Amino acid sequence: MNTPILKRFVFILAFGGYWASLAQTPDLVVGLHQPQPRIIVGAERMDTLFPMLKQKQIGLVVNHSSLVGNRHLADTLFDQGVCLRRIFAPEHGFRGEADAGEKVKDAKDQRTGVPIISLYGKRMKPNADDLEGLDAVVFDIQDVGARFYTYISTLYYVMEACAEQGKELIVLDRPNPNGHYVDGPVLNMQQHSFIGIAPLPIVHGCTIGELALLFKHENWIHKGYELKLRVIPCGQYSHDRYYELAVRPSPNLPNMRAVLLYPSLCFFEGTAFSLGRGTDFPFQVLGHPEYQGDTFSFVPRPNAGNKKPFLEGWVCKGIDFTKVPVDRIFKEKQINLRYLLEVYAGFSDKKKFFLENNFFNLLAGNKTLKQQIMAGKSEAEIRGSWQEDLEAFKAIRLKYLLYP
């Protein structure tokens, strides 16, 4: 396939070294929200999609983010007479209300009467019975661009199932809100899991459509060469554009600040620290009952999407990111390791910092990062250790970019 010419834009950000300065420093980049042509997501390109679905039995892989304007894709297609046979739901469910890690049950969509099959319960991958009678499967889910965000793992398994069962797959592309940079260690497949499905860096810089092309043509999925794959791309999108999500992609990413902080803060899910699940600002705060680094505190309590939040009822002292300008995070264009390194250095009981369940290594995609942190390695040393693999991935990524 032809390789598009990339336009590279370099932004410089002076990031303060003190936690208190995070909330006090004004935005350093002006014009991020200046008017630009409206991005047209793949699901809005019905003139292209409808001919592909005519007189076919269709399955949908969708959730609450699968919108055409203000309407759900399932409702839009159903009302246009498309024969919907099955709906497949990822983590957080068809309506996006289930807690992280909560098993999603099979059900039926009340409006269309179409059976809903969970891909986050007894099985993560559709089987032959699930796909029986279907001519094509349409995938339309908003991703956030981090390897450990599980919607891309669902894409991987749906692609593999369609390849094995001879079903066409149509991917409706959507922008990646973290698609303006590529960073982090590339997954060592010894740490393969549902939060690390393929040898990607933590921030892969691909849209869901670009990942589908990469998975297929790099033969990362079983029988990928047999898969009939079509991608309906976005219009007016480029990787350097800021993209405001229309809806929260999952219960604990309630706004763009959380979405942009997610690749840097998610490491703490493998530690003894709370990331604010069970508060009004998940993935925008960080704390532990024994942390002494700041005067800020919060208390996790059960709420929608967090039935049993980590450190429930404990006063967690830590760091407040809720005042950090969104522009500032966007323009940083790299994973911020400083959060992790400084919090570890300031935590008194180092033996308690990392959870014993290996989850940190699964998030990092290797055993090395944990060892480097414990050994007191600098940020520069840690970044240097993953650069060779990162550059190799960037060369692969370049072949499948659909946008400048």
Side-chain angles (χ1 to χ4, degrees):
M1 59 183 295
N2 293 327
T3 301
I5 299 175
L6 290 180
K7 297 179 181 178
R8 300 188 181 275
F9 296 85
V10 178
F11 299 95
I12 300 175
L13 178 66
F15 202 83
Y18 300 97
W19 297 120
S21 72
L22 291 174
Q24 297 171 357
T25 306
D27 292 8
L28 302 179
V29 179
V30 178
L32 186 65
H33 305 288
Q34 288 180 347
Q36 298 186 69
R38 187 180 74 85
I39 293 173
I40 302 168
V41 300
E44 294 178 309
R45 305 183 72 170
M46 289 294 169
D47 56 335
T48 301
L49 178 60
F50 276 137
M52 297 181 184
L53 307 183
K54 189 175 181 180
Q55 297 181 338
K56 291 182 179 178
Q57 310 290 306
I58 301 300
L60 296 180
V61 185
V62 288
N63 67 1
H64 66 290
S65 71
S66 310
L67 298 177
V68 184
N70 294 322
R71 300 196 69 211
H72 198 283
L73 177 66
D75 298 334
T76 302
L77 297 181
F78 181 80
D79 289 347
Q80 292 296 321
V82 174
C83 185
L84 302 183
R85 292 287 302 276
R86 292 178 196 94
I87 293 171
F88 298 95
E91 183 177 9
H92 306 296
F94 178 45
R95 298 296 177 187
E97 298 171 347
D99 196 0
E102 180 181 350
K103 300 305 180 185
V104 178
K105 298 180 180 179
D106 292 351
K108 179 177 286 190
D109 180 35
Q110 294 184 353
R111 186 180 187 279
T112 63
V114 177
I116 300 173
I117 297 173
S118 170
L119 297 181
Y120 199 79
K122 293 181 293 184
R123 59 186 177 278
M124 307 296 193
K125 175 180 173 179
N127 59 34
D129 290 340
D130 296 332
L131 298 178
E132 185 178 3
L134 299 182
D135 298 306
V137 174
V138 176
F139 188 104
D140 179 32
I141 294 177
Q142 177 64 60
D143 185 44
V144 302
R147 182 185 66 221
F148 32 61
Y149 204 61
T150 62
Y151 296 155
I152 65 171
S153 300
T154 296
L155 170 68
Y156 182 98
Y157 281 136
V158 168
M159 290 182 67
E160 195 168 68
C162 287
E164 292 168 350
Q165 302 302 322
K167 308 298 180 181
E168 179 183 6
L169 179 65
I170 302 168
V171 176
L172 308 184
D173 211 6
R174 292 180 178 269
N176 175 356
N178 283 301
H180 56 298
Y181 70 107
V182 181
D183 197 19
V186 173
L187 176 76
N188 181 326
M189 290 298 281
Q190 291 182 345
Q191 299 297 320
H192 177 271
S193 72
F194 199 62
I195 60 170
I197 199 68
L200 301 167
I202 288 174
V203 181
H204 49 72
C206 297
T207 66
I208 208 84
E210 291 168 336
L211 274 184
L213 293 169
L214 190 157
F215 287 165
K216 170 182 166 61
H217 293 287
E218 292 297 313
N219 293 315
W220 286 5
I221 60 171
H222 183 233
K223 291 190 175 182
Y225 54 90
E226 295 185 9
L227 175 64
K228 184 178 181 181
L229 172 66
R230 300 191 190 190
V231 176
I232 298 182
C234 303
Q236 312 283 15
Y237 174 64
S238 63
H239 278 281
D240 65 295
R241 278 193 66 173
Y242 174 80
Y243 179 67
E244 186 94 24
L245 299 187
V247 296
R248 62 173 65 187
S250 54
N252 290 292
L253 294 179
N255 54 37
M256 286 304 297
R257 181 176 290 103
V259 168
L260 295 174
L261 285 169
Y262 177 75
S264 297
L265 294 186
C266 197
F267 289 118
F268 286 95
E269 296 274 79
T271 74
F273 278 67
S274 167
L275 278 169
R277 294 182 186 271
T279 71
D280 292 334
F281 26 80
F283 283 92
Q284 299 161 86
V285 296
L286 174 66
H288 185 275
E290 299 176 17
Y291 187 64
Q292 301 298 327
D294 210 326
T295 58
F296 172 74
S297 65
F298 60 92
V299 181
R301 302 190 188 282
N303 63 9
N306 292 279
K307 298 178 178 62
K308 295 182 179 180
F310 187 55
L311 297 179
E312 177 183 347
W314 287 86
V315 177
C316 296
K317 293 168 285 186
I319 304 164
D320 180 11
F321 298 96
T322 61
K323 303 298 190 300
V324 181
V326 170
D327 291 19
R328 182 173 176 172
I329 306 168
F330 182 83
K331 293 305 180 186
E332 193 168 22
K333 295 187 73 172
Q334 65 178 14
I335 291 173
N336 194 321
L337 284 176
R338 184 176 302 171
Y339 306 146
L340 189 59
L341 297 178
E342 292 192 7
V343 170
Y344 177 79
F347 192 59
S348 58
D349 193 346
K350 300 290 193 291
K351 292 182 179 180
K352 288 184 180 179
F353 186 80
F354 295 103
L355 300 180
E356 296 180 355
N357 60 5
N358 190 47
F359 197 59
F360 184 89
N361 291 344
L362 295 180
L363 290 166
N366 60 40
K367 297 180 180 179
T368 308
L369 181 58
K370 178 179 176 180
Q371 295 168 351
Q372 291 170 324
I373 294 169
M374 294 174 66
K377 298 290 186 182
S378 69
E379 180 176 356
E381 289 174 313
I382 293 173
R383 287 192 178 281
S385 70
W386 68 49
Q387 287 306 310
E388 184 177 351
D389 288 343
L390 190 62
E391 292 304 317
F393 171 77
K394 287 179 179 179
I396 294 173
R397 170 184 178 264
L398 186 62
K399 296 186 288 183
Y400 304 106
L401 293 179
L402 298 172
Y403 316 98

mmCIF file of all heavy atoms in Angstrom, residues 14-22 25 328 338 342:
data_model
loop_
_atom_site.group_PDB
_atom_site.id
_atom_site.type_symbol
_atom_site.label_atom_id
_atom_site.label_comp_id
_atom_site.label_asym_id
_atom_site.label_seq_id
_atom_site.Cartn_x
_atom_site.Cartn_y
_atom_site.Cartn_z
ATOM 1 N N ALA A 14 7.582 23.561 28.441
ATOM 2 C CA ALA A 14 8.407 23.646 29.652
ATOM 3 C C ALA A 14 7.553 23.211 30.823
ATOM 4 O O ALA A 14 6.649 23.923 31.235
ATOM 5 C CB ALA A 14 8.886 25.083 29.843
ATOM 6 N N PHE A 15 7.834 22.024 31.334
ATOM 7 C CA PHE A 15 6.992 21.450 32.387
ATOM 8 C C PHE A 15 7.673 21.642 33.731
ATOM 9 O O PHE A 15 8.795 21.212 33.926
ATOM 10 C CB PHE A 15 6.759 19.965 32.127
ATOM 11 C CG PHE A 15 5.537 19.439 32.807
ATOM 12 C CD1 PHE A 15 4.307 19.610 32.216
ATOM 13 C CD2 PHE A 15 5.620 18.784 34.021
ATOM 14 C CE1 PHE A 15 3.174 19.113 32.821
ATOM 15 C CE2 PHE A 15 4.492 18.296 34.626
ATOM 16 C CZ PHE A 15 3.270 18.468 34.030
ATOM 17 N N GLY A 16 7.011 22.305 34.666
ATOM 18 C CA GLY A 16 7.587 22.611 35.971
ATOM 19 C C GLY A 16 7.904 21.378 36.772
ATOM 20 O O GLY A 16 7.301 20.333 36.596
ATOM 21 N N GLY A 17 8.843 21.523 37.708
ATOM 22 C CA GLY A 17 9.281 20.379 38.503
ATOM 23 C C GLY A 17 8.575 20.244 39.816
ATOM 24 O O GLY A 17 8.847 19.310 40.571
ATOM 25 N N TYR A 18 7.700 21.133 40.146
ATOM 26 C CA TYR A 18 7.041 21.081 41.446
ATOM 27 C C TYR A 18 5.565 20.784 41.257
ATOM 28 O O TYR A 18 4.899 21.334 40.385
ATOM 29 C CB TYR A 18 7.211 22.415 42.182
ATOM 30 C CG TYR A 18 8.656 22.778 42.430
ATOM 31 C CD1 TYR A 18 9.314 23.649 41.559
ATOM 32 C CD2 TYR A 18 9.349 22.235 43.487
ATOM 33 C CE1 TYR A 18 10.638 23.977 41.756
ATOM 34 C CE2 TYR A 18 10.681 22.555 43.688
ATOM 35 C CZ TYR A 18 11.325 23.427 42.820
ATOM 36 O OH TYR A 18 12.629 23.731 43.019
ATOM 37 N N TRP A 19 5.029 19.903 42.135
ATOM 38 C CA TRP A 19 3.625 19.507 41.997
ATOM 39 C C TRP A 19 2.706 20.717 42.095
ATOM 40 O O TRP A 19 1.720 20.831 41.381
ATOM 41 C CB TRP A 19 3.257 18.497 43.082
ATOM 42 C CG TRP A 19 4.023 17.226 42.983
ATOM 43 C CD1 TRP A 19 4.853 16.688 43.917
ATOM 44 C CD2 TRP A 19 4.045 16.305 41.889
ATOM 45 N NE1 TRP A 19 5.398 15.516 43.482
ATOM 46 C CE2 TRP A 19 4.918 15.253 42.244
ATOM 47 C CE3 TRP A 19 3.433 16.266 40.639
ATOM 48 C CZ2 TRP A 19 5.180 14.177 41.405
ATOM 49 C CZ3 TRP A 19 3.693 15.200 39.811
ATOM 50 C CH2 TRP A 19 4.559 14.174 40.192
ATOM 51 N N ALA A 20 3.036 21.660 42.983
ATOM 52 C CA ALA A 20 2.174 22.816 43.174
ATOM 53 C C ALA A 20 2.068 23.648 41.911
ATOM 54 O O ALA A 20 1.039 24.278 41.648
ATOM 55 C CB ALA A 20 2.691 23.672 44.318
ATOM 56 N N SER A 21 3.115 23.658 41.108
ATOM 57 C CA SER A 21 3.109 24.491 39.904
ATOM 58 C C SER A 21 2.182 23.968 38.833
ATOM 59 O O SER A 21 1.815 24.687 37.911
ATOM 60 C CB SER A 21 4.524 24.599 39.330
ATOM 61 O OG SER A 21 4.914 23.374 38.745
ATOM 62 N N LEU A 22 1.769 22.710 38.949
ATOM 63 C CA LEU A 22 0.900 22.126 37.926
ATOM 64 C C LEU A 22 -0.379 22.925 37.769
ATOM 65 O O LEU A 22 -0.854 23.157 36.658
ATOM 66 C CB LEU A 22 0.567 20.674 38.296
ATOM 67 C CG LEU A 22 1.711 19.669 38.215
ATOM 68 C CD1 LEU A 22 1.252 18.326 38.753
ATOM 69 C CD2 LEU A 22 2.206 19.527 36.803
ATOM 70 N N THR A 25 0.563 27.148 36.685
ATOM 71 C CA THR A 25 1.141 27.587 35.420
ATOM 72 C C THR A 25 0.056 27.728 34.362
ATOM 73 O O THR A 25 -0.708 26.798 34.135
ATOM 74 C CB THR A 25 2.190 26.572 34.928
ATOM 75 O OG1 THR A 25 3.142 26.380 35.971
ATOM 76 C CG2 THR A 25 2.877 27.076 33.682
ATOM 77 N N ARG A 328 -1.874 21.866 27.960
ATOM 78 C CA ARG A 328 -0.523 21.565 28.425
ATOM 79 C C ARG A 328 -0.217 20.077 28.348
ATOM 80 O O ARG A 328 0.867 19.667 27.919
ATOM 81 C CB ARG A 328 -0.374 22.059 29.864
ATOM 82 C CG ARG A 328 0.990 21.864 30.460
ATOM 83 C CD ARG A 328 1.021 22.548 31.806
ATOM 84 N NE ARG A 328 2.294 22.319 32.464
ATOM 85 C CZ ARG A 328 2.650 22.925 33.576
ATOM 86 N NH1 ARG A 328 1.842 23.788 34.142
ATOM 87 N NH2 ARG A 328 3.817 22.667 34.125
ATOM 88 N N ARG A 338 7.732 11.186 35.221
ATOM 89 C CA ARG A 338 8.067 11.887 36.459
ATOM 90 C C ARG A 338 7.079 11.570 37.580
ATOM 91 O O ARG A 338 7.465 11.448 38.745
ATOM 92 C CB ARG A 338 8.111 13.392 36.201
ATOM 93 C CG ARG A 338 8.554 14.214 37.410
ATOM 94 C CD ARG A 338 8.674 15.675 37.046
ATOM 95 N NE ARG A 338 9.626 15.850 35.958
ATOM 96 C CZ ARG A 338 9.803 17.005 35.323
ATOM 97 N NH1 ARG A 338 9.092 18.059 35.662
ATOM 98 N NH2 ARG A 338 10.696 17.088 34.356
ATOM 99 N N GLU A 342 8.787 10.125 40.942
ATOM 100 C CA GLU A 342 8.793 10.970 42.127
ATOM 101 C C GLU A 342 7.910 10.414 43.232
ATOM 102 O O GLU A 342 8.249 10.507 44.414
ATOM 103 C CB GLU A 342 8.394 12.398 41.761
ATOM 104 C CG GLU A 342 9.425 13.103 40.892
ATOM 105 C CD GLU A 342 9.192 14.592 40.773
ATOM 106 O OE1 GLU A 342 8.310 15.126 41.471
ATOM 107 O OE2 GLU A 342 9.897 15.226 39.975
#
